[in-house]
Amino acid sequence: MGVGSLNPLFVDSTKPIGDKVVTNVELLSVVLHDGDSVFFEVSDEYGFQQRFALKAVETKKSVKYTAEVWLKYQHEIQYRFVMVNAGEEVYASATQTARAGHIISDKWAPTFKPDTVREKKAKRPQQPRGEAAAAAVREAKAQREAKFKPLGQPNMLSQIKSLIDDLL
């Protein structure tokens, strides 16, 4: 990425491109319930992904969530905000692309249908218990073994031949 691709009117000439800069991240219009926490997820141009916890800052009018993140100045990043409850993602915002600067400020807008952890647990099918569970496990294992035969069997030559035929 060169300087020619950037608009010179909006580039801080005192900072060389690629220097680290503190980026203030703000998330507005989000309401958290018990056990919820909000994170800022960012990935750089190489796909390196990081997740930072946002802290609540209360003002007279509203509550906003903020974090300070070190990013490479004017490098392209992709970011999103994620709401987590009990270690599972409950909501997430759309992934956005931007150039790292001094501030990233967004309003909360989740992109997928909310499923709380309690609702997810209620939707899971009940697992059979006791003898029925053991029989189901044995049956599934037998089906997997029937699908794949190891190459060390006496018919190894025919298996290798069929593998070569599949490749051609």
Side-chain angles (χ1 to χ4, degrees), residues 88-110:
E88 293 187 34
E89 289 186 11
V90 182
Y91 296 97
S93 67
T95 301
Q96 298 182 32
T97 303
R99 291 200 181 267
H102 296 285
I103 191 162
I104 295 174
S105 183
D106 272 336
K107 286 188 177 181
W108 176 245

Side-chain angles (χ1 to χ4, degrees), residues 86-160:
E88 293 187 34
E89 289 186 11
V90 182
Y91 296 97
S93 67
T95 301
Q96 298 182 32
T97 303
R99 291 200 181 267
H102 296 285
I103 191 162
I104 295 174
S105 183
D106 272 336
K107 286 188 177 181
W108 176 245
T111 59
F112 58 83
K113 182 180 175 188
D115 267 343
T116 63
V117 174
R118 290 177 291 282
E119 289 174 354
K120 284 184 179 180
K121 287 180 181 176
K123 289 179 183 178
R124 290 183 186 155
Q126 292 294 329
Q127 297 287 334
R129 293 192 174 128
E131 194 64 36
V137 168
R138 282 191 300 267
E139 183 180 330
K141 188 175 180 181
Q143 287 176 353
R144 278 190 302 245
E145 288 174 357
K147 247 184 186 178
F148 303 103
K149 294 181 183 176
L151 285 175
Q153 298 297 324
N155 59 353
M156 187 171 99
L157 187 59
S158 64
Q159 289 179 349
I160 291 174

Side-chain angles (χ1 to χ4, degrees), residues 155-168:
N155 59 353
M156 187 171 99
L157 187 59
S158 64
Q159 289 179 349
I160 291 174
K161 194 175 185 181
S162 68
L163 288 172
I164 291 172
D165 290 340
D166 288 344
L167 290 174
L168 300 176

